[in-house]
Amino acid sequence: MEGGSITIEPGCSLRGEVMVPGDKSISHRALLFGAIAEGTTTIHGLLTAADPCSTADCLRAMGVNISPLGTKDQPVVVEGVGLDGLQEPEDVLNCGNSGTTMRLLMGLLAGCRGRHFFLTGDASLRQRPMARVSRPLCRSMGANISGRDNGNLAPLAVNGCQLRGGTIGTSVASAQVKSALLLAGLMANGSVSVIEPIRSRDHSERMLKAFGADLQVTGDHGRHVRLNPGQPLQGQEIVVPGDISSAAFWLVGAAITPGSRLRLLQVGLNPTRTGVLEVLQTMGAQVQVERQRQIVGEPVGDLLVRHGPLGPFSIGPELVPRLVDEIPILAVAALFAQGTSQISGAGELRVKETDRLAVMTRQLKAMGAVVEETADGLVIQGPQKLQGAQLDSEADHRVAMSLALAALNAHGPSPIDGADAAGVSYPGFWQQLQQLGSN
Ligand code: S3P
């Protein structure tokens, strides 16, 4: 890779076994919950990518001892400082590109009485909406958070204070929002109930319970979560499963690339995350789940995927939270399916690391694709023939990896600028692609 650019030459199939990197959502939470627990938390298989590194660095700046993240196969050890043990940092906390770091920290720090925190991030993160967290924290729980655009844009200032409990209906189905409110609830003087419009991923609920928090999930489809404060968290031994959002690139890559056959090992199969498998099943993709098992509170399994004929799919608002990060690669899948695929109710993609609906449309069009961008989704008629073209990730990790699999199935080579963005969630992606392609 030179200057962050990499050229994809089409024509190979993808074959072999892949151990996808650890789940990003679970990795952030393991670090954060470990930091405020009592005692030691040992994390096996933590994702050592840029985003979790941002979380670890912020926690270190507040006095938490965390062993280096870079050493492969070595567990990461977090020495917890207890619920109210985070120190006021000497400098601004830099969350990098990571929305999860910033939003979860907002909840965690809002209740650290008498301490002041400043949060910032890269150019992308400073444009992303934070009012979805700061508003309920301030209005319903009495937090003191300010920032540009009325507390909506970073840099943000969090003045820790005594929080109160309450019942909060969230306006978006977002695990980041829900988790921030639950973390704030740990420090509140009464119970916090969070009610979501549609249930989002539930890693926080599972892990908080495992750490000993007093938490109940009720309501239809688990949309209602109640946390009672006062229970200290206890350090745990955690095994992070492979990230299904990273596995999705190989699932779609193998499904659309002739001659491909991949086995993906120990992939997280939490039902709040498996929307991509349901879509692939609807498409008639050859995906088999093997060796389903439970690893420290999270379901996992191996996935065997082969190339084959594909039909179209339809994704509506109810399904979006269960595959929100997989929509860019599913847009690529739609180009190789026989028929018209529709994605709607996905307006949230416009406030991710980039406006992913616009960026995917723009980049796929550069390859000659016909993609209709709607206000909250995409309409794609397949199958289409793609031409190799000059592409750009626009600094978005999931766009970079989605374009790689599209380019592998185009006619002619495609240089992808900003390929290094993949390191935000998938270090070693390009080497893995090269290896699977040469098998
Ligand atoms: C995440 C939740 C999702 C997802 C993001 C990680 C999390 O965001 O897109 O990559 O770890 O809680 P939203 O909560 O904004 O939907």
Side-chain angles (χ1 to χ4, degrees):
M1 202 189 319
E2 250 177 57
S5 180
I6 198 158
T7 299
I8 301 293
E9 301 278 353
C12 63
S13 50
L14 299 169
R15 299 182 75 85
E17 274 192 356
V18 187
M19 189 83 192
V20 295
D23 187 278
K24 184 157 78 68
S25 294
I26 296 176
S27 295
H28 283 296
R29 287 159 175 79
L31 290 165
L32 288 162
F33 301 172
I36 55 165
E38 286 172 6
T40 302
T41 290
T42 308
I43 312 167
H44 302 267
L46 186 100
L47 172 67
T48 57
D51 266 14
C53 286
S54 295
T55 292
D57 287 344
C58 289
L59 291 168
R60 288 187 183 113
M62 294 183 283
V64 183
N65 236 320
I66 302 175
S67 66
L69 264 51
T71 43
K72 223 175 162 250
D73 304 328
Q74 279 277 77
V76 171
V77 179
V78 182
E79 300 297 344
V81 295
L83 262 189
D84 199 26
L86 292 174
Q87 294 164 16
E88 187 173 80
E90 283 175 15
D91 204 347
V92 177
L93 297 170
N94 189 347
C95 305
N97 191 241
S98 175
T100 311
T101 306
M102 183 168 283
R103 295 196 177 117
L104 267 57
L105 278 179
M106 287 165 74
L108 185 61
L109 303 178
C112 292
R113 279 166 299 168
R115 280 151 284 173
H116 299 264
F117 308 89
F118 299 93
L119 297 168
T120 193
D122 69 7
S124 153
L125 189 55
R126 293 196 307 273
Q127 291 307 316
R128 296 181 64 186
M130 296 298 148
R132 53 181 59 195
V133 178
S134 59
R135 198 166 293 150
L137 278 174
C138 295
R139 290 190 183 162
S140 303
M141 300 183 72
N144 184 347
I145 300 175
S146 57
R148 294 185 299 135
D149 188 30
N150 265 323
N152 187 36
L153 297 176
L156 299 168
V158 181
N159 295 324
C161 62
Q162 176 61 61
L163 301 178
R164 58 177 184 270
T167 297
I168 303 160
T170 62
S171 53
V172 278
S174 160
Q176 295 178 353
V177 173
K178 171 175 62 179
S179 304
L181 297 170
L182 294 175
L183 282 169
L186 291 170
M187 311 283 268
N189 59 10
S191 303
V192 170
S193 290
V194 183
I195 303 167
E196 295 191 282
I198 305 170
R199 185 188 207 179
S200 64
R201 62 189 68 186
D202 69 349
H203 304 300
S204 290
E205 294 91 307
R206 286 172 188 253
M207 206 186 286
L208 278 169
K209 267 193 198 165
F211 272 79
D214 180 2
L215 177 141
Q216 295 105 37
V217 179
T218 56
D220 58 321
H221 307 290
R223 292 189 301 110
H224 191 154
V225 186
R226 181 187 173 94
L227 182 126
N228 301 313
Q231 211 59 35
L233 305 185
Q234 301 298 336
Q236 297 296 313
E237 178 121 8
I238 295 172
V239 181
V240 181
D243 197 327
I244 192 166
S245 298
S246 298
F249 300 108
W250 305 125
L251 288 171
V252 171
I256 65 172
T257 309
S260 296
R261 183 183 192 276
L262 292 176
R263 179 172 275 113
L264 314 173
L265 305 174
Q266 204 171 303
V267 180
L269 297 177
N270 179 313
T272 61
R273 297 284 300 281
T274 47
V276 65
L277 294 180
E278 281 158 43
V279 170
L280 286 168
Q281 195 176 21
T282 312
M283 297 177 82
Q286 298 191 38
V287 180
Q288 277 162 257
V289 183
E290 298 174 337
R291 295 204 314 131
Q292 284 200 61
R293 54 210 189 271
Q294 198 78 15
I295 295 191
V296 200
E298 289 277 350
V300 302
D302 299 345
L303 301 174
L304 180 65
V305 53
R306 292 189 187 86
H307 171 256
L310 297 173
F313 61 83
S314 175
I315 296 173
E318 290 290 323
L319 188 54
V320 168
R322 298 180 50 231
L323 46 63
V324 66
D325 294 333
E326 287 70 82
I327 288 176
I329 190 63
L330 285 171
V332 173
L335 291 168
F336 295 88
Q338 185 81 41
T340 303
S341 295
Q342 311 241 13
I343 300 168
S344 63
E348 271 296 294
L349 264 77
R350 296 205 181 276
V351 292
K352 293 293 177 188
E353 286 81 333
T354 59
D355 176 344
R356 286 181 172 156
L357 297 178
V359 174
M360 285 306 293
T361 303
R362 185 156 53 235
Q363 295 301 323
L364 293 174
K365 279 188 173 169
M367 305 180 89
V370 180
V371 177
E372 188 193 332
E373 181 185 347
T374 66
D376 66 351
L378 300 170
V379 181
I380 297 174
Q381 199 172 348
Q384 297 191 25
K385 289 210 182 318
L386 301 181
Q387 300 303 323
Q390 174 67 55
L391 301 173
D392 190 345
S393 76
E394 304 194 29
D396 185 322
H397 54 127
R398 299 203 197 278
V399 172
M401 294 184 274
S402 300
L403 293 178
L405 279 317
L408 199 66
N409 287 279
H411 296 271
S414 300
I416 305 178
D417 282 349
D420 48 346
V424 159
S425 62
Y426 201 143
F429 173 79
W430 301 106
Q431 292 91 314
Q432 184 94 75
L433 177 61
Q434 193 164 28
Q435 192 220 316
L436 297 172
S438 61
N439 275 349

